[in-house]
Amino acid sequence: MPSARSAAAKARVKKDAEQRFKRAQRASILLKHVSDATRLQVILLLADGERHVGDLSESLNQSQPAVSHHLALMRHGGIVVPRRQGKNNYYSLTDSGEILAKVVQAMTS
């Protein structure tokens, strides 16, 4: 008959494995949101501070609707956060976005 101690240890191991899996799933989703060169460029641009969608479009040499699409995906992924001022949207990085920016900068330098 298994002891209460070994049952508790097995339960702890199972819980730890479930937590690791959930963290890996979150990381996988986050990485999918940035698995595009344009989105990585946006992260690098926003690492220098908040930017207007038009400024990002110009810097990326892409249309405003295309950049807005990328920003929407990144917003849903919790990487960027918008700020509305009148008719204009400004974007900045979230804490997760800041961490990603550091990783991207380290990989590209």
Side-chain angles (χ1 to χ4, degrees), residues 27-58:
S28 173
I29 291 167
L30 183 64
L31 291 171
K32 284 179 187 177
H33 285 291
V34 296
S35 64
D36 178 89
T38 298
R39 292 192 284 275
L40 291 174
Q41 289 179 74
V42 169
I43 288 173
L44 291 172
L45 290 168
L46 293 178
D48 293 332
E50 182 180 71
R51 299 280 296 264
H52 177 269
V53 176
D55 293 338
L56 290 169
S57 298
E58 188 175 314

Side-chain angles (χ1 to χ4, degrees), residues 7 45 53 68 74 84 91-92 95:
L45 290 168
V53 176
S68 290
M74 295 170 69
R84 190 154 185 87
Y91 284 84
S92 58
D95 290 342

Side-chain angles (χ1 to χ4, degrees), residues 46-104:
L46 293 178
D48 293 332
E50 182 180 71
R51 299 280 296 264
H52 177 269
V53 176
D55 293 338
L56 290 169
S57 298
E58 188 175 314
S59 295
L60 297 167
N61 196 28
Q62 292 195 13
S63 69
Q64 185 271 328
V67 173
S68 290
H69 171 75
H70 288 293
L71 288 165
L73 292 172
M74 295 170 69
R75 183 172 42 86
H76 291 298
I79 299 163
V80 299
V81 63
R83 178 180 67 83
R84 190 154 185 87
Q85 184 174 331
K87 292 182 179 182
N88 299 315
N89 282 320
Y90 292 84
Y91 284 84
S92 58
L93 295 173
T94 62
D95 290 342
S96 294
E98 293 284 348
I99 293 166
L100 282 168
K102 289 177 184 172
V103 170
V104 174

